[in-house]
Amino acid sequence: MKILAVCGLGQGTSLILRMNIEEVLNEAGVDAEVEHVDVSAASGVEADYILTSNELAQSLQGHQAKILVVNNYFDIEEIKRVLSQNRVI
């Protein structure tokens, strides 16, 4: 399974989101490849899931991955809830 953590520039906040996704996946015992990228690069990268903000999700419509919206990239509980509701974990 491949997951993309996406923010506008693909640097700070998507890196934090990636680290928090990895923490949730590790706690759940789920093995996945997680990358952080900017929204432009994300459109050309194959993935199973994309986690991003509501605003950026609009830019990724049409991507083959399932797009999951996270409002607060720093909120582990929200990330856990989103991944659980979408049966990623």
Coordinates of all heavy atoms in Angstrom, one line a residue:
M1 N 0.9 -1.2 0.0 CA 0.0 0.0 0.0 C 0.9 1.2 0.0 O 1.9 1.3 0.7 CB -0.9 0.0 1.2 CG -1.6 1.3 1.5 SD -2.9 1.3 2.8 CE -2.3 0.1 4.0
K2 N 0.5 2.2 -0.8 CA 1.3 3.5 -0.9 C 0.3 4.6 -0.5 O -0.8 4.7 -1.0 CB 1.9 3.7 -2.2 CG 2.8 4.9 -2.3 CD 3.5 4.9 -3.6 CE 4.4 6.1 -3.7 NZ 5.3 6.1 -4.9
I3 N 0.8 5.5 0.4 CA 0.1 6.7 0.8 C 0.9 7.9 0.6 O 2.1 7.9 0.9 CB -0.2 6.5 2.3 CG1 -1.1 5.3 2.6 CG2 -1.0 7.8 2.8 CD1 -1.3 5.0 4.1
L4 N 0.2 8.9 0.0 CA 0.9 10.2 -0.1 C 0.4 11.2 0.9 O -0.9 11.3 1.1 CB 0.6 10.8 -1.5 CG 1.1 10.0 -2.7 CD1 0.8 10.7 -4.0 CD2 2.6 9.8 -2.6
A5 N 1.3 11.9 1.5 CA 0.9 13.1 2.4 C 1.2 14.3 1.6 O 2.3 14.6 1.2 CB 1.8 13.1 3.7
V6 N 0.1 15.1 1.3 CA 0.2 16.2 0.4 C -0.1 17.6 1.0 O -1.1 17.7 1.7 CB -0.7 16.0 -0.8 CG1 -0.7 17.2 -1.8 CG2 -0.4 14.7 -1.5
C7 N 0.8 18.5 0.8 CA 0.6 19.9 1.2 C 0.9 20.8 0.0 O 1.3 20.3 -1.1 CB 1.4 20.3 2.4 SG 3.1 20.6 2.1
G8 N 0.8 22.1 0.1 CA 1.0 23.0 -1.0 C 2.4 23.0 -1.6 O 2.6 23.1 -2.8
L9 N 3.4 22.9 -0.7 CA 4.8 23.0 -1.1 C 5.5 21.7 -1.0 O 6.7 21.6 -1.5 CB 5.5 24.1 -0.3 CG 5.0 25.5 -0.5 CD1 5.7 26.5 0.4 CD2 5.1 26.0 -2.0
G10 N 5.0 20.7 -0.3 CA 5.6 19.4 -0.2 C 6.8 19.4 0.7 O 7.7 18.6 0.6
Q11 N 6.8 20.4 1.7 CA 8.0 20.5 2.5 C 7.6 20.3 4.0 O 7.5 19.1 4.4 CB 8.7 21.8 2.3 CG 9.2 21.9 0.9 CD 9.9 23.3 0.7 OE1 9.9 24.1 1.5 NE2 10.4 23.4 -0.5
G12 N 7.3 21.3 4.7 CA 7.1 21.2 6.2 C 5.9 20.5 6.6 O 6.0 19.5 7.3
T13 N 4.7 20.9 6.2 CA 3.5 20.3 6.8 C 3.2 18.9 6.2 O 2.7 18.1 6.9 CB 2.3 21.2 6.5 OG1 2.2 21.6 5.1 CG2 2.3 22.5 7.4
S14 N 3.6 18.7 5.0 CA 3.4 17.3 4.5 C 4.4 16.4 5.1 O 4.1 15.2 5.3 CB 3.5 17.3 3.0 OG 4.8 17.6 2.5
L15 N 5.5 16.8 5.5 CA 6.5 16.0 6.2 C 5.9 15.6 7.6 O 6.0 14.5 8.0 CB 7.9 16.7 6.4 CG 8.9 16.0 7.2 CD1 9.2 14.6 6.6 CD2 10.2 16.8 7.3
I16 N 5.4 16.6 8.3 CA 4.8 16.4 9.6 C 3.6 15.4 9.4 O 3.4 14.4 10.2 CB 4.3 17.7 10.2 CG1 5.6 18.5 10.6 CG2 3.4 17.4 11.4 CD1 5.3 19.9 11.0
L17 N 2.8 15.6 8.4 CA 1.6 14.7 8.2 C 2.2 13.3 7.9 O 1.6 12.3 8.4 CB 0.8 15.2 7.0 CG -0.4 14.3 6.6 CD1 -1.4 14.1 7.7 CD2 -1.1 14.9 5.4
R18 N 3.2 13.2 7.1 CA 3.8 11.8 6.8 C 4.2 11.2 8.1 O 3.9 10.0 8.3 CB 5.0 12.0 5.8 CG 5.5 10.6 5.4 CD 6.8 10.6 4.8 NE 7.8 10.5 5.8 CZ 9.1 10.8 5.7 NH1 9.6 11.4 4.6 NH2 9.9 10.7 6.7
M19 N 4.9 11.9 8.9 CA 5.4 11.3 10.2 C 4.3 10.9 11.1 O 4.3 9.8 11.7 CB 6.3 12.3 10.9 CG 7.6 12.6 10.2 SD 8.6 14.0 10.7 CE 8.7 13.7 12.4
N20 N 3.2 11.7 11.1 CA 2.0 11.3 11.9 C 1.3 10.1 11.3 O 0.8 9.2 12.0 CB 1.1 12.5 12.1 CG 1.7 13.5 13.0 OD1 2.6 13.2 13.8 ND2 1.3 14.8 12.9
I21 N 1.2 10.0 10.0 CA 0.6 8.9 9.4 C 1.4 7.6 9.7 O 0.8 6.6 10.0 CB 0.5 9.1 7.8 CG1 -0.5 10.2 7.5 CG2 0.1 7.7 7.1 CD1 -0.4 10.6 6.0
E22 N 2.7 7.7 9.6 CA 3.6 6.6 9.9 C 3.4 6.1 11.3 O 3.4 4.9 11.6 CB 5.0 6.9 9.6 CG 5.3 7.0 8.1 CD 6.7 7.5 7.8 OE1 7.3 8.2 8.7 OE2 7.2 7.3 6.7
E23 N 3.3 7.1 12.2 CA 3.1 6.7 13.7 C 1.8 6.0 13.8 O 1.7 4.9 14.5 CB 3.0 8.0 14.5 CG 2.8 7.8 16.0 CD 2.9 9.0 16.8 OE1 3.6 10.0 16.5 OE2 2.1 9.1 17.8
V24 N 0.7 6.4 13.2 CA -0.6 5.8 13.3 C -0.6 4.4 12.7 O -1.0 3.4 13.3 CB -1.7 6.6 12.6 CG1 -3.0 5.8 12.5 CG2 -2.0 7.9 13.4
L25 N 0.1 4.2 11.5 CA 0.2 2.9 10.9 C 1.0 2.0 11.7 O 0.7 0.8 11.8 CB 0.8 3.1 9.5 CG 0.0 3.9 8.4 CD1 0.8 4.1 7.2 CD2 -1.3 3.2 8.1
N26 N 2.1 2.5 12.3 CA 3.0 1.6 13.1 C 2.2 1.1 14.3 O 2.3 -0.1 14.7 CB 4.2 2.4 13.6 CG 5.2 2.5 12.4 OD1 5.2 1.8 11.5 ND2 6.1 3.5 12.5
E27 N 1.4 2.0 15.0 CA 0.6 1.6 16.1 C -0.4 0.5 15.8 O -0.7 -0.4 16.5 CB -0.1 2.8 16.7 CG 0.7 3.7 17.5 CD -0.1 4.9 18.1 OE1 -1.3 4.8 18.1 OE2 0.5 5.9 18.5
A28 N -0.9 0.6 14.5 CA -1.9 -0.3 14.1 C -1.3 -1.6 13.5 O -2.0 -2.5 13.1 CB -2.8 0.4 13.0
G29 N 0.0 -1.6 13.3 CA 0.7 -2.7 12.7 C 0.5 -2.9 11.2 O 0.5 -4.0 10.7
V30 N 0.2 -1.7 10.6 CA 0.0 -1.7 9.1 C 1.3 -1.3 8.4 O 1.9 -0.3 8.7 CB -1.2 -0.8 8.8 CG1 -1.3 -0.7 7.3 CG2 -2.4 -1.2 9.4
D31 N 1.7 -2.1 7.4 CA 2.9 -1.8 6.7 C 2.5 -1.0 5.4 O 1.6 -1.5 4.6 CB 3.6 -3.1 6.3 CG 4.9 -2.9 5.6 OD1 5.6 -1.9 6.0 OD2 5.2 -3.6 4.7
A32 N 3.1 0.1 5.2 CA 2.8 0.9 4.0 C 4.0 1.9 3.7 O 4.7 2.2 4.6 CB 1.5 1.8 4.2
E33 N 4.1 2.2 2.4 CA 5.0 3.2 2.0 C 4.4 4.6 2.1 O 3.3 4.7 1.5 CB 5.5 2.9 0.6 CG 6.5 3.9 0.0 CD 6.8 3.6 -1.4 OE1 6.4 2.6 -2.0 OE2 7.5 4.5 -2.0
V34 N 4.9 5.5 2.8 CA 4.4 6.8 2.9 C 5.4 7.8 2.4 O 6.5 7.9 2.8 CB 4.0 7.2 4.4 CG1 3.3 8.5 4.4 CG2 3.1 6.1 5.0
E35 N 4.9 8.7 1.5 CA 5.8 9.8 0.9 C 5.1 11.1 1.1 O 3.9 11.2 1.2 CB 5.9 9.6 -0.6 CG 6.8 8.4 -1.0 CD 7.0 8.4 -2.5 OE1 6.9 9.5 -3.2 OE2 7.3 7.3 -3.0
H36 N 5.9 12.2 1.2 CA 5.3 13.5 1.3 C 5.7 14.2 0.0 O 6.9 14.2 -0.4 CB 5.7 14.3 2.6 CG 7.1 14.6 2.6 ND1 8.1 13.7 3.0 CD2 7.8 15.8 2.4 CE1 9.3 14.3 3.0 NE2 9.1 15.6 2.6
V37 N 4.7 14.9 -0.6 CA 4.9 15.6 -1.8 C 4.1 16.9 -1.9 O 3.1 17.0 -1.1 CB 4.6 14.7 -3.1 CG1 5.5 13.5 -3.2 CG2 3.2 14.3 -3.0
D38 N 4.4 17.7 -2.8 CA 3.5 18.9 -3.0 C 2.4 18.5 -4.0 O 2.4 17.5 -4.6 CB 4.3 20.1 -3.6 CG 4.8 19.8 -5.0 OD1 4.0 20.0 -6.0 OD2 6.0 19.4 -5.2
V39 N 1.4 19.4 -4.0 CA 0.1 19.0 -4.7 C 0.4 18.8 -6.2 O -0.3 18.0 -6.8 CB -0.9 20.1 -4.4 CG1 -0.6 21.4 -5.0 CG2 -2.3 19.6 -4.9
S40 N 1.3 19.6 -6.8 CA 1.6 19.4 -8.2 C 2.2 18.1 -8.5 O 1.8 17.4 -9.5 CB 2.5 20.5 -8.7 OG 1.9 21.8 -8.6
A41 N 3.2 17.7 -7.7 CA 3.9 16.4 -7.9 C 2.9 15.2 -7.6 O 3.0 14.2 -8.3 CB 5.1 16.3 -7.0
A42 N 2.0 15.4 -6.7 CA 1.1 14.3 -6.3 C 0.3 13.8 -7.5 O 0.0 12.6 -7.6 CB 0.2 14.8 -5.2
S43 N -0.1 14.7 -8.4 CA -0.9 14.3 -9.5 C -0.2 13.3 -10.4 O -0.9 12.5 -11.2 CB -1.4 15.5 -10.3 OG -0.3 16.2 -10.8
G44 N 1.1 13.2 -10.4 CA 1.8 12.3 -11.3 C 2.4 11.1 -10.5 O 3.2 10.3 -11.1
V45 N 2.0 10.9 -9.3 CA 2.5 9.8 -8.5 C 1.4 8.8 -8.2 O 0.3 9.2 -7.8 CB 3.1 10.3 -7.1 CG1 3.6 9.2 -6.3 CG2 4.2 11.3 -7.4
E46 N 1.7 7.5 -8.5 CA 0.7 6.5 -8.2 C 0.7 6.2 -6.7 O 1.7 6.2 -6.0 CB 1.1 5.2 -8.9 CG 0.8 5.3 -10.4 CD 1.0 3.9 -11.1 OE1 0.8 2.9 -10.4 OE2 1.3 3.9 -12.3
A47 N -0.5 6.1 -6.2 CA -0.7 5.8 -4.8 C -2.1 5.1 -4.6 O -3.0 5.2 -5.4 CB -0.6 7.1 -4.0
D48 N -2.2 4.5 -3.4 CA -3.5 4.0 -3.1 C -4.4 5.0 -2.3 O -5.6 5.0 -2.5 CB -3.3 2.7 -2.1 CG -2.6 1.7 -2.8 OD1 -3.1 1.2 -3.9 OD2 -1.4 1.3 -2.4
Y49 N -3.7 5.8 -1.5 CA -4.5 6.9 -0.7 C -3.7 8.1 -0.8 O -2.4 8.1 -0.8 CB -4.6 6.4 0.7 CG -5.5 5.2 0.9 CD1 -4.9 4.0 1.0 CD2 -6.9 5.3 0.9 CE1 -5.7 2.8 1.1 CE2 -7.6 4.1 1.0 CZ -7.0 2.9 1.2 OH -7.8 1.8 1.3
I50 N -4.4 9.3 -0.7 CA -3.8 10.6 -0.5 C -4.4 11.2 0.6 O -5.7 11.3 0.7 CB -4.0 11.5 -1.8 CG1 -3.2 10.9 -3.0 CG2 -3.5 12.9 -1.5 CD1 -3.4 11.6 -4.3
L51 N -3.6 11.7 1.6 CA -4.1 12.5 2.7 C -3.7 13.9 2.5 O -2.5 14.2 2.3 CB -3.6 11.9 4.0 CG -4.4 10.8 4.7 CD1 -4.3 9.5 3.9 CD2 -4.1 10.7 6.1
T52 N -4.7 14.8 2.5 CA -4.4 16.2 2.3 C -5.6 17.1 2.9 O -6.5 16.5 3.4 CB -4.3 16.5 0.8 OG1 -3.8 17.8 0.6 CG2 -5.6 16.3 0.0
S53 N -5.4 18.4 2.7 CA -6.5 19.3 3.2 C -7.7 19.3 2.3 O -7.5 18.9 1.1 CB -5.9 20.7 3.4 OG -5.6 21.2 2.1
N54 N -8.8 19.9 2.7 CA -9.9 20.0 1.9 C -9.7 20.8 0.6 O -10.1 20.5 -0.5 CB -11.1 20.5 2.7 CG -12.4 20.5 1.9 OD1 -12.7 19.5 1.3 ND2 -13.1 21.6 2.0
E55 N -8.9 21.9 0.8 CA -8.6 22.8 -0.3 C -7.8 22.1 -1.4 O -8.1 22.2 -2.6 CB -7.9 24.1 0.2 CG -8.6 24.9 1.1 CD -8.6 24.5 2.6 OE1 -7.7 23.6 2.9 OE2 -9.5 24.9 3.4
L56 N -6.8 21.4 -0.9 CA -5.9 20.7 -1.9 C -6.6 19.5 -2.5 O -6.3 19.1 -3.7 CB -4.6 20.3 -1.3 CG -3.7 21.5 -0.8 CD1 -2.5 21.0 -0.2 CD2 -3.4 22.4 -2.0
A57 N -7.5 18.9 -1.8 CA -8.3 17.7 -2.3 C -9.0 18.1 -3.6 O -9.1 17.3 -4.5 CB -9.3 17.2 -1.3
Q58 N -9.5 19.3 -3.7 CA -10.2 19.8 -4.9 C -9.2 19.7 -6.1 O -9.6 19.4 -7.2 CB -10.7 21.2 -4.7 CG -11.5 21.4 -3.5 CD -12.8 20.6 -3.5 OE1 -13.4 20.4 -4.5 NE2 -13.1 20.1 -2.3
S59 N -8.0 20.0 -5.9 CA -7.0 20.0 -7.0 C -6.6 18.6 -7.4 O -6.0 18.5 -8.5 CB -5.7 20.7 -6.5 OG -5.9 22.0 -6.1
L60 N -6.9 17.6 -6.6 CA -6.5 16.3 -6.9 C -7.6 15.4 -7.5 O -7.5 14.2 -7.6 CB -5.9 15.6 -5.7 CG -4.6 16.3 -5.2 CD1 -4.2 15.9 -3.8 CD2 -3.4 16.0 -6.2
Q61 N -8.8 16.0 -7.7 CA -9.9 15.3 -8.3 C -9.5 14.7 -9.6 O -8.8 15.3 -10.4 CB -11.1 16.2 -8.5 CG -11.7 16.8 -7.2 CD -12.2 15.7 -6.3 OE1 -12.8 14.7 -6.7 NE2 -11.9 15.8 -5.0
G62 N -9.8 13.4 -9.8 CA -9.4 12.7 -11.0 C -8.2 11.8 -10.7 O -7.9 10.9 -11.6
H63 N -7.5 12.0 -9.6 CA -6.4 11.1 -9.3 C -6.9 9.7 -9.0 O -8.0 9.6 -8.5 CB -5.6 11.6 -8.1 CG -4.3 11.0 -7.9 ND1 -4.1 9.7 -7.4 CD2 -3.0 11.5 -8.1 CE1 -2.8 9.5 -7.4 NE2 -2.1 10.5 -7.8
Q64 N -6.2 8.7 -9.4 CA -6.7 7.3 -9.2 C -6.7 6.9 -7.7 O -7.4 6.0 -7.3 CB -5.8 6.3 -10.0 CG -4.3 6.4 -9.8 CD -3.8 5.7 -8.7 OE1 -4.4 4.8 -8.1 NE2 -2.5 6.0 -8.3
A65 N -6.0 7.6 -6.8 CA -6.0 7.2 -5.4 C -7.2 7.7 -4.7 O -7.9 8.7 -5.2 CB -4.8 7.9 -4.8
K66 N -7.6 7.1 -3.6 CA -8.7 7.6 -2.8 C -8.2 8.7 -2.0 O -7.2 8.6 -1.3 CB -9.2 6.5 -1.9 CG -10.4 6.9 -1.1 CD -11.1 5.7 -0.4 CE -12.4 6.2 0.2 NZ -13.1 5.1 0.8
I67 N -8.9 9.9 -2.1 CA -8.4 11.1 -1.4 C -9.1 11.2 -0.1 O -10.4 11.2 0.0 CB -8.7 12.3 -2.3 CG1 -7.9 12.1 -3.6 CG2 -8.3 13.6 -1.6 CD1 -8.2 13.2 -4.6
L68 N -8.3 11.3 1.0 CA -8.8 11.4 2.3 C -8.5 12.8 2.9 O -7.3 13.2 2.8 CB -8.3 10.3 3.2 CG -8.3 8.9 2.7 CD1 -7.7 7.9 3.6 CD2 -9.8 8.5 2.5
V69 N -9.5 13.5 3.4 CA -9.2 14.9 3.9 C -8.9 14.9 5.4 O -9.6 14.2 6.2 CB -10.5 15.7 3.6 CG1 -10.4 17.1 4.3 CG2 -10.7 15.9 2.1
V70 N -7.8 15.6 5.7 CA -7.4 15.8 7.1 C -7.4 17.3 7.4 O -6.7 18.0 6.6 CB -6.1 15.2 7.4 CG1 -5.6 15.5 8.8 CG2 -6.1 13.7 7.2
N71 N -8.1 17.8 8.3 CA -8.2 19.2 8.6 C -7.0 19.7 9.4 O -6.5 20.8 9.2 CB -9.5 19.5 9.4 CG -10.7 19.3 8.5 OD1 -10.7 19.8 7.4 ND2 -11.6 18.6 9.0
N72 N -6.5 18.8 10.3 CA -5.3 19.2 11.1 C -4.2 18.2 11.0 O -4.4 17.1 11.6 CB -5.8 19.4 12.6 CG -4.7 19.9 13.5 OD1 -3.5 19.9 13.1 ND2 -5.0 20.3 14.7
Y73 N -3.2 18.5 10.3 CA -2.1 17.6 10.0 C -1.4 17.2 11.3 O -0.6 16.2 11.3 CB -1.1 18.2 9.1 CG -1.5 18.4 7.6 CD1 -2.8 18.2 7.2 CD2 -0.6 18.8 6.7 CE1 -3.2 18.4 5.9 CE2 -1.0 19.0 5.4 CZ -2.3 18.8 5.0 OH -2.7 19.0 3.7
F74 N -1.5 17.9 12.4 CA -0.8 17.7 13.6 C -1.7 16.8 14.6 O -1.2 16.4 15.6 CB -0.5 19.0 14.4 CG 0.4 19.9 13.6 CD1 -0.1 20.8 12.7 CD2 1.8 19.8 13.7 CE1 0.8 21.6 11.9 CE2 2.6 20.6 13.0 CZ 2.1 21.5 12.1
D75 N -2.9 16.5 14.3 CA -3.8 15.8 15.1 C -3.8 14.3 14.9 O -4.5 13.8 13.9 CB -5.3 16.4 14.9 CG -6.3 15.9 15.9 OD1 -6.0 14.8 16.6 OD2 -7.4 16.4 16.0
I76 N -3.1 13.6 15.7 CA -2.9 12.2 15.5 C -4.3 11.5 15.6 O -4.6 10.5 14.8 CB -2.0 11.6 16.6 CG1 -0.6 12.1 16.5 CG2 -2.0 10.1 16.7 CD1 0.2 11.5 15.4
E77 N -5.2 11.9 16.5 CA -6.5 11.3 16.7 C -7.3 11.5 15.4 O -8.1 10.6 15.0 CB -7.2 11.8 17.9 CG -6.6 11.4 19.2 CD -6.4 9.9 19.3 OE1 -7.4 9.2 19.0 OE2 -5.3 9.5 19.8
E78 N -7.3 12.6 14.8 CA -8.0 12.8 13.5 C -7.5 12.0 12.4 O -8.2 11.3 11.7 CB -8.0 14.3 13.1 CG -8.8 14.5 11.8 CD -8.6 15.9 11.2 OE1 -7.9 16.7 11.7 OE2 -9.3 16.2 10.2
I79 N -6.2 11.9 12.3 CA -5.6 11.0 11.3 C -6.0 9.6 11.5 O -6.3 8.9 10.6 CB -4.0 11.2 11.3 CG1 -3.7 12.6 10.9 CG2 -3.4 10.1 10.4 CD1 -2.2 13.0 11.1
K80 N -5.9 9.1 12.8 CA -6.3 7.8 13.1 C -7.8 7.5 12.7 O -8.1 6.5 12.2 CB -6.1 7.5 14.6 CG -6.3 6.1 15.1 CD -6.0 6.0 16.6 CE -4.7 6.4 17.0 NZ -4.4 6.2 18.4
R81 N -8.6 8.5 13.0 CA -10.1 8.4 12.7 C -10.3 8.3 11.2 O -11.0 7.4 10.7 CB -10.9 9.5 13.3 CG -12.3 9.5 13.1 CD -13.1 10.6 13.7 NE -12.5 11.9 13.6 CZ -12.4 12.7 12.6 NH1 -13.0 12.3 11.5 NH2 -11.8 13.9 12.6
V82 N -9.6 9.1 10.5 CA -9.8 9.2 9.0 C -9.3 7.8 8.4 O -10.0 7.2 7.5 CB -9.1 10.4 8.4 CG1 -9.0 10.2 6.9 CG2 -9.8 11.7 8.7
L83 N -8.2 7.3 8.9 CA -7.6 6.1 8.3 C -8.5 4.9 8.7 O -8.7 4.0 7.9 CB -6.2 5.9 8.8 CG -5.2 6.9 8.2 CD1 -3.8 6.6 8.9 CD2 -5.1 6.8 6.7
S84 N -9.1 5.0 9.9 CA -9.9 3.9 10.4 C -11.3 3.9 9.6 O -11.7 2.8 9.2 CB -10.2 4.0 11.9 OG -11.1 3.0 12.3
Q85 N -11.9 5.0 9.5 CA -13.1 5.1 8.8 C -13.0 4.7 7.3 O -14.0 4.3 6.7 CB -13.7 6.6 8.8 CG -14.2 7.0 10.2 CD -14.5 8.5 10.2 OE1 -14.2 9.3 9.3 NE2 -15.3 8.8 11.2
N86 N -11.8 4.8 6.7 CA -11.6 4.4 5.3 C -11.0 3.0 5.2 O -10.5 2.7 4.2 CB -10.9 5.5 4.6 CG -11.7 6.7 4.4 OD1 -12.5 6.7 3.5 ND2 -11.6 7.7 5.2
R87 N -10.9 2.3 6.3 CA -10.4 0.9 6.4 C -9.0 0.8 5.9 O -8.6 -0.2 5.3 CB -11.3 0.0 5.6 CG -12.8 0.0 6.2 CD -13.7 -0.8 5.4 NE -15.0 -0.6 5.9 CZ -15.9 -1.6 6.0 NH1 -15.6 -2.8 5.7 NH2 -17.1 -1.3 6.5
V88 N -8.2 1.9 6.2 CA -6.8 1.8 5.9 C -6.1 1.0 7.1 O -5.2 0.3 6.9 CB -6.2 3.2 5.7 CG1 -4.7 3.1 5.5 CG2 -6.9 3.9 4.6
I89 N -6.6 1.3 8.3 CA -6.1 0.6 9.5 C -7.2 -0.3 10.1 O -8.3 -0.1 9.8 CB -5.5 1.5 10.5 CG1 -6.5 2.6 11.0 CG2 -4.3 2.2 10.0 CD1 -6.0 3.4 12.2

